[in-house]
């Protein structure tokens, strides 16, 4: 598919930040895997909330409280539909993927014991490693790693060998933030279920770029962060199958998550409120819904095709630069390119690109085990979104060549 399938000129007008200059140059924002930019439709939603119906939710009879509650719960339904969950109460508002994973890891303390195993992939973000390590420390269970190949693909035969009746939980990202690999999670989930294990999929990097259907996947838990989906920071979601969420104990105690409180005993609220203690990020939740409306108006499949085109275009050009090594060469990738240039520290390249107005991320990308696997301190990571263009990629390639000359 070509660039013309989306009206990029029109789309770019929705993002005020894309007009700004950085160090005297027009901004080229290629750090979308860290956070996406925000369209004015989402910004307007936040302004509208605070200008017109700012109120606490679920607890007021007055008009503002009712309007805010309706908008917040409406957003939950939008999230439900975006991920094709069966029920709105299977969507728990969290502060983001990190919170979602910690919520589940904490809940599993009640279910694990010494001798049980949690399988985690070799290409996880620290958010999908550390909470499970903490869970294993609390319960005496062991953490086992599903290895990957040099191309950045999971070794599914090793995964099959690791699965046993000791496996209670399998956790994996849908897309790796450090490599861009789209993991074969449908197969991973089916195999885990055959072994009697539950599955949590970290969808932080997949949800903005590829269609996700939690019912079709038959996944037990799925996570997302609004700030990577054109929404605001500090809000995200956990999808959980009703049966699992009913079994899982609450994560935090407080207002809103209770049915009845006495000093002797407290009973908990029904789903989803059992997991939503305290006043939530109300404007954030509503804006998350607006962000999904925005993405739907463009179409996730169209986004996927367009970004794939950018990935192929940039990968080809970058590979032609002498000394470039790309990490993560799976055929199944989202538009993330992690690379290094022989003899150049990623940080130095990142700094020079910034001087030319180009935002990329450098470092270990909160995935140190991936960097250790390749025996490198970090990479330069360019990650694209549907509002990026081939012209921007051309400028990026020119800038990389120029910076390389300056640094060698
Ligand atoms: N999981 C993956 C796969 C991620 O990429 C990230 C954030 C997280 C979890 C954590 O998400 P949060 O919203 O709770 O922070 N990834 C990145 C990144 O690649 N660069 O900055 C943040």
């Amino acid at each position: 598919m070509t660039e013309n399938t989306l009206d990029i000129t029109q789309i770019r007008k929705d993002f005020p930040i894309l007009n700004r200059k950085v160090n005297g140059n027009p901004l080229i924002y290629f750090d979308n895997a860290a956070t996406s930019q925000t369209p004015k439709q989402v910004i307007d939603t936040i302004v509208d909330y605070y200008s017109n119906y700012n109120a606490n939710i679920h607890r007021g009879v007055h008009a503002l409280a009712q309007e805010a509650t309706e908008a917040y719960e409406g957003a939950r339904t939008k999230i439900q539909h975006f991920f094709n969950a069966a029920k709105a109460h299977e969507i728990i508002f969290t502060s983001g993927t990190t919170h979602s994973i910690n919520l589940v890891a904490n809940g599993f303390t009640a279910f694990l014991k010494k001798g049980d195993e949690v399988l985690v992939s070799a290409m996880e973000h620290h958010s999908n490693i550390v909470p499970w390590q903490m869970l294993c420390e609390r319960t005496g269970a062991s953490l086992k790693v599903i290895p990957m190949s040099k191309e950045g693909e999971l070794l599914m035969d090793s995964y099959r060998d690791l699965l046993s009746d000791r496996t209670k939980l399998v956790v994996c990202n849908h897309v790796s933030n450090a490599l861009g690999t789209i993991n074969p999670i449908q197969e991973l989930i089916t195999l885990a279920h055959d072994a009697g294990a539950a599955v949590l999929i970290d969808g932080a990097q997949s949800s903005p770029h590829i269609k996700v259907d939690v019912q079709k996947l038959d996944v037990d838990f799925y996570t997302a962060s609004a700030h990577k989906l054109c929404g605001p920071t500090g809000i995200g979601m956990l999808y959980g199958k009703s049966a699992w969420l009913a079994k899982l104990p609450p994560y935090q105690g407080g207002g809103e998550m209770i049915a009845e409180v006495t000093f002797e005993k407290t009973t908990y609220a029904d789903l989803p409120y059992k997991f939503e203690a305290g006043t939530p990020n109300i404007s954030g939740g509503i804006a998350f819904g607006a962000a999904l409306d925005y993405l739907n108006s463009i179409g996730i499949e169209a986004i996927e095709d367009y970004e794939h085109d950018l990935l192929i275009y940039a990968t080809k050009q970058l590979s032609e630069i002498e000394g470039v090594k790309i990490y993560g060469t799976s055929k199944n990738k989202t538009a993330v390119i992690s690379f290094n240039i022989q003899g150049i520290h990623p940080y130095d390249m990142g700094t020079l690109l910034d001087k030319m107005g180009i935002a990329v991320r450098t470092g270990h990308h909160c995935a140190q085990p991936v960097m250790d696997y390749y025996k490198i301190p970090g990479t330069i990571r360019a990650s694209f979104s549907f509002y990026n263009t081939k012209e921007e990629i051309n400028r990026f390639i020119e800038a990389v060549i120029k910076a390389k000359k300056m640094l060698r």
Side-chain angles (χ1 to χ4, degrees):
M1 253 190 220
T2 67
E3 229 170 78
N4 299 328
T5 51
L6 298 182
D7 187 350
I8 302 302
T9 313
Q10 201 53 40
I11 286 171
R12 287 179 68 86
K13 285 188 189 146
D14 291 333
F15 292 82
I17 211 167
L18 297 179
N19 285 324
R20 70 161 284 182
K21 293 200 164 173
V22 170
N23 294 320
N25 296 294
L27 166 68
I28 293 183
Y29 187 76
F30 282 173
D31 196 17
N32 293 285
T35 202
S36 52
Q37 292 305 342
T38 320
K40 66 177 184 320
Q41 290 84 338
V42 173
I43 300 169
D44 289 349
T45 301
I46 298 168
V47 172
D48 180 43
Y49 169 78
Y50 282 110
S51 307
N52 294 308
Y53 62 102
N54 176 26
N56 213 328
I57 52 170
H58 298 141
R59 52 191 107 188
V61 292
H62 60 81
L64 266 51
Q66 286 182 21
E67 282 172 33
T69 303
E70 216 168 278
Y72 191 71
E73 291 304 326
R76 195 191 304 275
T77 309
K78 289 176 186 178
I79 299 168
Q80 175 203 347
H81 293 150
F82 190 82
F83 291 97
N84 196 32
K87 305 268 169 22
H89 70 235
E90 292 177 318
I91 304 298
I92 311 296
F93 278 113
T94 64
S95 66
T97 291
T98 303
H99 177 187
S100 303
I101 294 171
N102 276 280
L103 189 161
V104 177
N106 228 69
F108 262 77
T109 311
F111 307 141
L112 296 195
K113 57 179 190 322
K114 196 169 180 338
D116 290 340
E117 290 177 358
V118 177
L119 304 191
V120 56
S121 99
M123 61 175 97
E124 296 306 312
H125 187 280
H126 298 161
S127 284
N128 207 22
I129 301 174
V130 184
W132 309 114
Q133 281 175 329
M134 292 162 77
L135 170 66
C136 288
E137 272 168 29
R138 282 194 300 276
T139 58
S142 326
L143 196 69
K144 296 272 155 98
V145 181
I146 309 163
M148 68 174 189
S149 68
K150 284 273 180 247
E151 291 75 30
E153 293 183 332
L154 290 181
L155 298 177
M156 293 303 275
D157 286 340
S158 307
Y159 171 54
R160 277 191 196 85
D161 292 343
L162 280 168
L163 282 169
S164 74
D165 56 6
R166 293 183 301 278
T167 316
K168 294 294 177 283
L169 198 56
V170 175
V171 301
C172 185
N173 56 45
H174 194 166
V175 167
S176 155
N177 72 316
L179 305 170
T181 314
I182 304 173
N183 284 310
I185 60 161
Q186 185 73 77
E187 189 186 351
L188 186 126
I189 292 164
T190 306
L191 288 167
H193 285 168
D194 289 348
V199 182
L200 178 141
I201 298 294
D202 169 352
Q205 295 292 344
S206 46
S207 46
H209 307 291
I210 55 182
K211 181 89 194 108
V212 177
D213 182 333
V214 291
Q215 290 188 78
K216 184 157 170 268
L217 287 169
D218 193 29
V219 66
D220 302 292
F221 301 100
Y222 199 93
T223 70
S225 296
H227 71 92
K228 297 191 200 283
L229 285 152
C230 293
T233 53
I235 187 85
M237 73 104 205
L238 169 69
Y239 160 80
K241 278 186 188 162
S242 291
W244 269 116
L245 293 178
K247 262 195 284 187
L248 218 61
Y251 180 39
Q252 292 182 321
E256 279 298 289
M257 52 76 73
I258 53 88
E260 209 76 56
V261 179
T262 67
F263 283 111
E264 287 71 41
K265 184 171 168 56
T266 291
T267 51
Y268 304 126
D270 290 336
L271 293 175
Y273 310 111
K274 179 173 116 181
F275 294 107
E276 296 182 353
T279 300
N281 179 353
I282 304 168
S283 68
I286 297 168
F288 187 1
L292 298 184
D293 284 344
Y294 182 79
L295 293 177
N296 284 332
S297 75
I298 297 170
I300 283 287
E301 281 92 354
I303 288 173
E304 192 176 341
D305 285 346
Y306 178 77
E307 290 177 350
H308 186 71
D309 204 27
L310 292 185
L311 172 72
I312 302 298
Y313 185 76
T315 303
K316 180 168 183 301
Q317 294 209 53
L318 204 57
S319 311
E320 284 165 8
I321 301 174
E322 195 224 309
V324 164
K325 180 167 168 48
I326 293 176
Y327 299 91
T329 49
S330 171
K331 277 201 183 63
N332 255 337
K333 277 182 72 173
T334 58
V336 171
I337 309 181
S338 245
F339 67 100
N340 271 328
I341 302 179
Q342 206 179 12
I344 294 176
H345 195 280
Y347 180 81
D348 294 336
M349 177 56 74
T351 306
L352 281 185
L353 290 176
D354 178 57
K355 293 265 180 292
M356 295 183 253
I358 300 170
V360 293
R361 188 172 168 187
T362 60
H364 56 56
H365 315 296
C366 301
Q368 270 184 353
V370 174
M371 302 301 131
D372 291 348
Y373 173 82
Y374 290 111
K375 299 189 172 53
I376 50 175
T379 69
I380 305 148
R381 183 186 68 182
S383 50
F384 311 125
S385 182
F386 56 88
Y387 42 73
N388 293 129
T389 64
K390 287 186 182 169
E391 291 74 51
E392 288 182 313
I393 291 173
N394 293 343
R395 266 190 52 208
F396 164 70
I397 296 291
E398 279 165 28
V400 169
I401 293 168
K402 192 168 163 192
K404 184 184 150 191
K405 281 197 191 119
M406 288 162 79
L407 290 166
R408 286 223 285 199

PDB file of all heavy atoms in Angstrom, residues 31 33-35 95-99 101 125 127-128 173 175-177 202 204-205 225 227-228 361 365-366 381, ligand 1:
ATOM      1  N   ASP A  31      10.036   8.933  18.142  1.00  0.00           N
ATOM      2  CA  ASP A  31      10.122   8.241  19.442  1.00  0.00           C
ATOM      3  C   ASP A  31       8.737   7.779  19.881  1.00  0.00           C
ATOM      4  O   ASP A  31       8.360   7.875  21.040  1.00  0.00           O
ATOM      5  CB  ASP A  31      10.758   9.170  20.495  1.00  0.00           C
ATOM      6  CG  ASP A  31      11.213   8.396  21.725  1.00  0.00           C
ATOM      7  OD1 ASP A  31      11.332   7.149  21.642  1.00  0.00           O
ATOM      8  OD2 ASP A  31      11.441   9.026  22.768  1.00  0.00           O
ATOM      9  N   ALA A  33       7.502   4.841  20.124  1.00  0.00           N
ATOM     10  CA  ALA A  33       7.404   3.670  21.005  1.00  0.00           C
ATOM     11  C   ALA A  33       7.485   4.095  22.468  1.00  0.00           C
ATOM     12  O   ALA A  33       7.015   3.382  23.354  1.00  0.00           O
ATOM     13  CB  ALA A  33       8.503   2.661  20.678  1.00  0.00           C
ATOM     14  N   ALA A  34       8.092   5.259  22.724  1.00  0.00           N
ATOM     15  CA  ALA A  34       8.151   5.761  24.112  1.00  0.00           C
ATOM     16  C   ALA A  34       6.814   6.393  24.474  1.00  0.00           C
ATOM     17  O   ALA A  34       6.221   6.087  25.498  1.00  0.00           O
ATOM     18  CB  ALA A  34       9.281   6.772  24.266  1.00  0.00           C
ATOM     19  N   THR A  35       6.352   7.291  23.637  1.00  0.00           N
ATOM     20  CA  THR A  35       5.003   7.841  23.799  1.00  0.00           C
ATOM     21  C   THR A  35       4.568   8.435  22.463  1.00  0.00           C
ATOM     22  O   THR A  35       5.399   8.941  21.710  1.00  0.00           O
ATOM     23  CB  THR A  35       4.937   8.878  24.945  1.00  0.00           C
ATOM     24  OG1 THR A  35       3.592   9.004  25.391  1.00  0.00           O
ATOM     25  CG2 THR A  35       5.441  10.250  24.545  1.00  0.00           C
ATOM     26  N   SER A  95      -3.256   2.998  35.737  1.00  0.00           N
ATOM     27  CA  SER A  95      -2.473   4.163  35.309  1.00  0.00           C
ATOM     28  C   SER A  95      -1.647   3.832  34.064  1.00  0.00           C
ATOM     29  O   SER A  95      -1.003   4.715  33.502  1.00  0.00           O
ATOM     30  CB  SER A  95      -1.570   4.655  36.437  1.00  0.00           C
ATOM     31  OG  SER A  95      -0.600   3.688  36.729  1.00  0.00           O
ATOM     32  N   GLY A  96      -1.659   2.577  33.641  1.00  0.00           N
ATOM     33  CA  GLY A  96      -0.903   2.194  32.450  1.00  0.00           C
ATOM     34  C   GLY A  96      -0.490   0.733  32.552  1.00  0.00           C
ATOM     35  O   GLY A  96      -0.856   0.035  33.507  1.00  0.00           O
ATOM     36  N   THR A  97       0.272   0.300  31.569  1.00  0.00           N
ATOM     37  CA  THR A  97       0.670  -1.107  31.512  1.00  0.00           C
ATOM     38  C   THR A  97       1.403  -1.553  32.774  1.00  0.00           C
ATOM     39  O   THR A  97       1.151  -2.639  33.296  1.00  0.00           O
ATOM     40  CB  THR A  97       1.546  -1.325  30.258  1.00  0.00           C
ATOM     41  OG1 THR A  97       0.697  -1.188  29.121  1.00  0.00           O
ATOM     42  CG2 THR A  97       2.188  -2.687  30.236  1.00  0.00           C
ATOM     43  N   THR A  98       2.300  -0.726  33.283  1.00  0.00           N
ATOM     44  CA  THR A  98       3.069  -1.100  34.477  1.00  0.00           C
ATOM     45  C   THR A  98       2.125  -1.403  35.638  1.00  0.00           C
ATOM     46  O   THR A  98       2.273  -2.422  36.333  1.00  0.00           O
ATOM     47  CB  THR A  98       4.036   0.044  34.853  1.00  0.00           C
ATOM     48  OG1 THR A  98       4.867   0.310  33.725  1.00  0.00           O
ATOM     49  CG2 THR A  98       4.882  -0.301  36.048  1.00  0.00           C
ATOM     50  N   HIS A  99       1.156  -0.543  35.843  1.00  0.00           N
ATOM     51  CA  HIS A  99       0.163  -0.736  36.907  1.00  0.00           C
ATOM     52  C   HIS A  99      -0.642  -2.008  36.647  1.00  0.00           C
ATOM     53  O   HIS A  99      -0.871  -2.811  37.562  1.00  0.00           O
ATOM     54  CB  HIS A  99      -0.726   0.516  36.968  1.00  0.00           C
ATOM     55  CG  HIS A  99      -1.844   0.475  37.958  1.00  0.00           C
ATOM     56  ND1 HIS A  99      -2.788   1.461  38.021  1.00  0.00           N
ATOM     57  CD2 HIS A  99      -2.191  -0.423  38.903  1.00  0.00           C
ATOM     58  CE1 HIS A  99      -3.661   1.179  38.973  1.00  0.00           C
ATOM     59  NE2 HIS A  99      -3.326   0.034  39.528  1.00  0.00           N
ATOM     60  N   ILE A 101       0.156  -4.718  35.026  1.00  0.00           N
ATOM     61  CA  ILE A 101       0.939  -5.938  35.270  1.00  0.00           C
ATOM     62  C   ILE A 101       1.114  -6.152  36.773  1.00  0.00           C
ATOM     63  O   ILE A 101       0.962  -7.267  37.282  1.00  0.00           O
ATOM     64  CB  ILE A 101       2.302  -5.874  34.542  1.00  0.00           C
ATOM     65  CG1 ILE A 101       2.080  -5.878  33.022  1.00  0.00           C
ATOM     66  CG2 ILE A 101       3.200  -7.036  34.958  1.00  0.00           C
ATOM     67  CD1 ILE A 101       3.324  -5.610  32.190  1.00  0.00           C
ATOM     68  N   HIS A 125      10.132  -5.857  28.308  1.00  0.00           N
ATOM     69  CA  HIS A 125      10.369  -4.588  29.000  1.00  0.00           C
ATOM     70  C   HIS A 125      10.482  -4.904  30.492  1.00  0.00           C
ATOM     71  O   HIS A 125       9.852  -5.857  30.972  1.00  0.00           O
ATOM     72  CB  HIS A 125       9.157  -3.688  28.722  1.00  0.00           C
ATOM     73  CG  HIS A 125       9.270  -2.284  29.209  1.00  0.00           C
ATOM     74  ND1 HIS A 125       9.061  -1.926  30.521  1.00  0.00           N
ATOM     75  CD2 HIS A 125       9.544  -1.128  28.552  1.00  0.00           C
ATOM     76  CE1 HIS A 125       9.200  -0.617  30.652  1.00  0.00           C
ATOM     77  NE2 HIS A 125       9.500  -0.102  29.472  1.00  0.00           N
ATOM     78  N   SER A 127       9.066  -3.740  32.893  1.00  0.00           N
ATOM     79  CA  SER A 127       7.718  -3.781  33.493  1.00  0.00           C
ATOM     80  C   SER A 127       7.120  -5.166  33.492  1.00  0.00           C
ATOM     81  O   SER A 127       6.224  -5.462  34.274  1.00  0.00           O
ATOM     82  CB  SER A 127       6.741  -2.935  32.672  1.00  0.00           C
ATOM     83  OG  SER A 127       6.924  -1.611  32.900  1.00  0.00           O
ATOM     84  N   ASN A 128       7.561  -5.992  32.544  1.00  0.00           N
ATOM     85  CA  ASN A 128       7.007  -7.343  32.452  1.00  0.00           C
ATOM     86  C   ASN A 128       8.033  -8.381  32.919  1.00  0.00           C
ATOM     87  O   ASN A 128       7.950  -9.545  32.549  1.00  0.00           O
ATOM     88  CB  ASN A 128       6.536  -7.634  31.024  1.00  0.00           C
ATOM     89  CG  ASN A 128       5.416  -8.659  30.980  1.00  0.00           C
ATOM     90  OD1 ASN A 128       4.703  -8.877  31.979  1.00  0.00           O
ATOM     91  ND2 ASN A 128       5.262  -9.325  29.852  1.00  0.00           N
ATOM     92  N   ASN A 173       5.269 -10.053  25.801  1.00  0.00           N
ATOM     93  CA  ASN A 173       4.718  -8.902  25.096  1.00  0.00           C
ATOM     94  C   ASN A 173       4.167  -9.343  23.745  1.00  0.00           C
ATOM     95  O   ASN A 173       4.622 -10.343  23.182  1.00  0.00           O
ATOM     96  CB  ASN A 173       5.732  -7.757  24.967  1.00  0.00           C
ATOM     97  CG  ASN A 173       7.012  -8.180  24.294  1.00  0.00           C
ATOM     98  OD1 ASN A 173       6.983  -8.870  23.282  1.00  0.00           O
ATOM     99  ND2 ASN A 173       8.152  -7.774  24.846  1.00  0.00           N
ATOM    100  N   VAL A 175       4.249  -7.180  21.201  1.00  0.00           N
ATOM    101  CA  VAL A 175       5.295  -6.593  20.356  1.00  0.00           C
ATOM    102  C   VAL A 175       6.419  -6.112  21.273  1.00  0.00           C
ATOM    103  O   VAL A 175       6.163  -5.472  22.293  1.00  0.00           O
ATOM    104  CB  VAL A 175       4.737  -5.404  19.539  1.00  0.00           C
ATOM    105  CG1 VAL A 175       5.863  -4.594  18.905  1.00  0.00           C
ATOM    106  CG2 VAL A 175       3.776  -5.886  18.457  1.00  0.00           C
ATOM    107  N   SER A 176       7.655  -6.422  20.870  1.00  0.00           N
ATOM    108  CA  SER A 176       8.812  -5.998  21.669  1.00  0.00           C
ATOM    109  C   SER A 176       9.128  -4.528  21.426  1.00  0.00           C
ATOM    110  O   SER A 176       9.244  -4.103  20.274  1.00  0.00           O
ATOM    111  CB  SER A 176      10.029  -6.844  21.290  1.00  0.00           C
ATOM    112  OG  SER A 176      11.226  -6.138  21.577  1.00  0.00           O
ATOM    113  N   ASN A 177       9.293  -3.773  22.511  1.00  0.00           N
ATOM    114  CA  ASN A 177       9.605  -2.341  22.363  1.00  0.00           C
ATOM    115  C   ASN A 177      11.030  -2.125  21.882  1.00  0.00           C
ATOM    116  O   ASN A 177      11.334  -1.107  21.270  1.00  0.00           O
ATOM    117  CB  ASN A 177       9.386  -1.592  23.686  1.00  0.00           C
ATOM    118  CG  ASN A 177      10.437  -1.926  24.718  1.00  0.00           C
ATOM    119  OD1 ASN A 177      10.800  -3.086  24.891  1.00  0.00           O
ATOM    120  ND2 ASN A 177      10.942  -0.925  25.400  1.00  0.00           N
ATOM    121  N   ASP A 202       1.395  -8.389  27.353  1.00  0.00           N
ATOM    122  CA  ASP A 202       1.669  -6.957  27.471  1.00  0.00           C
ATOM    123  C   ASP A 202       1.456  -6.336  26.092  1.00  0.00           C
ATOM    124  O   ASP A 202       2.234  -6.567  25.163  1.00  0.00           O
ATOM    125  CB  ASP A 202       3.126  -6.805  27.956  1.00  0.00           C
ATOM    126  CG  ASP A 202       3.632  -5.371  27.880  1.00  0.00           C
ATOM    127  OD1 ASP A 202       2.935  -4.512  27.322  1.00  0.00           O
ATOM    128  OD2 ASP A 202       4.752  -5.135  28.372  1.00  0.00           O
ATOM    129  N   ALA A 204       1.397  -3.063  25.344  1.00  0.00           N
ATOM    130  CA  ALA A 204       1.786  -1.645  25.279  1.00  0.00           C
ATOM    131  C   ALA A 204       2.217  -1.236  23.870  1.00  0.00           C
ATOM    132  O   ALA A 204       1.892  -0.148  23.399  1.00  0.00           O
ATOM    133  CB  ALA A 204       2.900  -1.350  26.287  1.00  0.00           C
ATOM    134  N   GLN A 205       2.961  -2.121  23.185  1.00  0.00           N
ATOM    135  CA  GLN A 205       3.514  -1.743  21.873  1.00  0.00           C
ATOM    136  C   GLN A 205       2.696  -2.263  20.698  1.00  0.00           C
ATOM    137  O   GLN A 205       2.960  -1.886  19.558  1.00  0.00           O
ATOM    138  CB  GLN A 205       4.956  -2.268  21.727  1.00  0.00           C
ATOM    139  CG  GLN A 205       5.945  -1.662  22.693  1.00  0.00           C
ATOM    140  CD  GLN A 205       6.219  -0.176  22.426  1.00  0.00           C
ATOM    141  OE1 GLN A 205       5.911   0.348  21.353  1.00  0.00           O
ATOM    142  NE2 GLN A 205       6.795   0.506  23.392  1.00  0.00           N
ATOM    143  N   SER A 225      -1.416   1.017  27.409  1.00  0.00           N
ATOM    144  CA  SER A 225      -1.172   2.360  27.973  1.00  0.00           C
ATOM    145  C   SER A 225      -1.721   3.398  27.004  1.00  0.00           C
ATOM    146  O   SER A 225      -1.328   3.421  25.833  1.00  0.00           O
ATOM    147  CB  SER A 225       0.334   2.602  28.134  1.00  0.00           C
ATOM    148  OG  SER A 225       0.890   1.706  29.061  1.00  0.00           O
ATOM    149  N   HIS A 227      -1.087   6.486  26.661  1.00  0.00           N
ATOM    150  CA  HIS A 227      -0.133   7.471  26.112  1.00  0.00           C
ATOM    151  C   HIS A 227       0.605   6.960  24.881  1.00  0.00           C
ATOM    152  O   HIS A 227       1.272   7.728  24.195  1.00  0.00           O
ATOM    153  CB  HIS A 227       0.866   7.932  27.183  1.00  0.00           C
ATOM    154  CG  HIS A 227       1.864   6.889  27.586  1.00  0.00           C
ATOM    155  ND1 HIS A 227       3.083   6.772  26.980  1.00  0.00           N
ATOM    156  CD2 HIS A 227       1.815   5.918  28.521  1.00  0.00           C
ATOM    157  CE1 HIS A 227       3.752   5.775  27.542  1.00  0.00           C
ATOM    158  NE2 HIS A 227       3.005   5.235  28.476  1.00  0.00           N
ATOM    159  N   LYS A 228       0.505   5.675  24.604  1.00  0.00           N
ATOM    160  CA  LYS A 228       1.081   5.161  23.354  1.00  0.00           C
ATOM    161  C   LYS A 228       0.017   5.063  22.263  1.00  0.00           C
ATOM    162  O   LYS A 228       0.284   4.681  21.137  1.00  0.00           O
ATOM    163  CB  LYS A 228       1.719   3.794  23.595  1.00  0.00           C
ATOM    164  CG  LYS A 228       2.900   3.840  24.587  1.00  0.00           C
ATOM    165  CD  LYS A 228       3.661   2.554  24.596  1.00  0.00           C
ATOM    166  CE  LYS A 228       4.494   2.345  25.837  1.00  0.00           C
ATOM    167  NZ  LYS A 228       5.743   3.098  25.888  1.00  0.00           N
ATOM    168  N   ARG A 361      14.997   7.495  20.457  1.00  0.00           N
ATOM    169  CA  ARG A 361      15.425   7.110  21.795  1.00  0.00           C
ATOM    170  C   ARG A 361      16.733   6.347  21.690  1.00  0.00           C
ATOM    171  O   ARG A 361      16.957   5.584  20.746  1.00  0.00           O
ATOM    172  CB  ARG A 361      14.377   6.239  22.491  1.00  0.00           C
ATOM    173  CG  ARG A 361      14.755   6.027  23.963  1.00  0.00           C
ATOM    174  CD  ARG A 361      13.711   5.339  24.802  1.00  0.00           C
ATOM    175  NE  ARG A 361      14.348   4.965  26.071  1.00  0.00           N
ATOM    176  CZ  ARG A 361      13.785   4.226  27.008  1.00  0.00           C
ATOM    177  NH1 ARG A 361      12.560   3.766  26.853  1.00  0.00           N
ATOM    178  NH2 ARG A 361      14.433   3.937  28.123  1.00  0.00           N
ATOM    179  N   HIS A 365      16.373   0.961  26.503  1.00  0.00           N
ATOM    180  CA  HIS A 365      14.924   0.918  26.282  1.00  0.00           C
ATOM    181  C   HIS A 365      14.187   0.119  27.360  1.00  0.00           C
ATOM    182  O   HIS A 365      13.165  -0.536  27.070  1.00  0.00           O
ATOM    183  CB  HIS A 365      14.596   0.375  24.876  1.00  0.00           C
ATOM    184  CG  HIS A 365      15.443   0.967  23.801  1.00  0.00           C
ATOM    185  ND1 HIS A 365      15.398   2.311  23.488  1.00  0.00           N
ATOM    186  CD2 HIS A 365      16.402   0.427  23.013  1.00  0.00           C
ATOM    187  CE1 HIS A 365      16.280   2.554  22.535  1.00  0.00           C
ATOM    188  NE2 HIS A 365      16.905   1.440  22.241  1.00  0.00           N
ATOM    189  N   CYS A 366      14.703   0.154  28.582  1.00  0.00           N
ATOM    190  CA  CYS A 366      14.101  -0.616  29.693  1.00  0.00           C
ATOM    191  C   CYS A 366      13.986  -2.090  29.331  1.00  0.00           C
ATOM    192  O   CYS A 366      13.019  -2.764  29.705  1.00  0.00           O
ATOM    193  CB  CYS A 366      12.732  -0.081  30.097  1.00  0.00           C
ATOM    194  SG  CYS A 366      12.769   1.620  30.630  1.00  0.00           S
ATOM    195  N   ARG A 381      16.993   3.937  18.636  1.00  0.00           N
ATOM    196  CA  ARG A 381      15.708   3.374  18.213  1.00  0.00           C
ATOM    197  C   ARG A 381      14.851   4.434  17.544  1.00  0.00           C
ATOM    198  O   ARG A 381      14.518   5.443  18.143  1.00  0.00           O
ATOM    199  CB  ARG A 381      14.958   2.801  19.419  1.00  0.00           C
ATOM    200  CG  ARG A 381      13.635   2.122  19.032  1.00  0.00           C
ATOM    201  CD  ARG A 381      12.845   1.698  20.252  1.00  0.00           C
ATOM    202  NE  ARG A 381      12.350   2.835  20.993  1.00  0.00           N
ATOM    203  CZ  ARG A 381      11.664   2.760  22.134  1.00  0.00           C
ATOM    204  NH1 ARG A 381      11.422   1.585  22.676  1.00  0.00           N
ATOM    205  NH2 ARG A 381      11.232   3.845  22.738  1.00  0.00           N
TER     206      ARG A 381
HETATM  207  N1  LIG B   1       5.733  -2.874  28.189  1.00  0.00           N
HETATM  208  C1  LIG B   1       6.253  -2.494  27.015  1.00  0.00           C
HETATM  209  C2  LIG B   1       6.418  -3.501  25.925  1.00  0.00           C
HETATM  210  C3  LIG B   1       6.628  -1.151  26.840  1.00  0.00           C
HETATM  211  O1  LIG B   1       7.151  -0.786  25.674  1.00  0.00           O
HETATM  212  C4  LIG B   1       6.450  -0.229  27.883  1.00  0.00           C
HETATM  213  C5  LIG B   1       6.902   1.202  27.765  1.00  0.00           C
HETATM  214  C6  LIG B   1       5.875  -0.682  29.076  1.00  0.00           C
HETATM  215  C7  LIG B   1       5.535  -2.018  29.188  1.00  0.00           C
HETATM  216  C8  LIG B   1       5.582   0.239  30.205  1.00  0.00           C
HETATM  217  O2  LIG B   1       4.530   1.054  29.865  1.00  0.00           O
HETATM  218  P1  LIG B   1       4.055   2.248  30.836  1.00  0.00           P
HETATM  219  O3  LIG B   1       3.066   2.983  30.022  1.00  0.00           O
HETATM  220  O4  LIG B   1       3.478   1.603  32.052  1.00  0.00           O
HETATM  221  O5  LIG B   1       5.299   3.017  31.156  1.00  0.00           O
HETATM  222  N2  LIG B   1       7.925   1.384  26.833  1.00  0.00           N
HETATM  223  C9  LIG B   1       8.699   2.472  26.677  1.00  0.00           C
HETATM  224  C10 LIG B   1       9.691   2.546  25.694  1.00  0.00           C
HETATM  225  O6  LIG B   1       9.958   1.671  24.901  1.00  0.00           O
HETATM  226  N3  LIG B   1      10.305   3.737  25.783  1.00  0.00           N
HETATM  227  O7  LIG B   1       9.735   4.431  26.776  1.00  0.00           O
HETATM  228  C11 LIG B   1       8.734   3.653  27.338  1.00  0.00           C
END
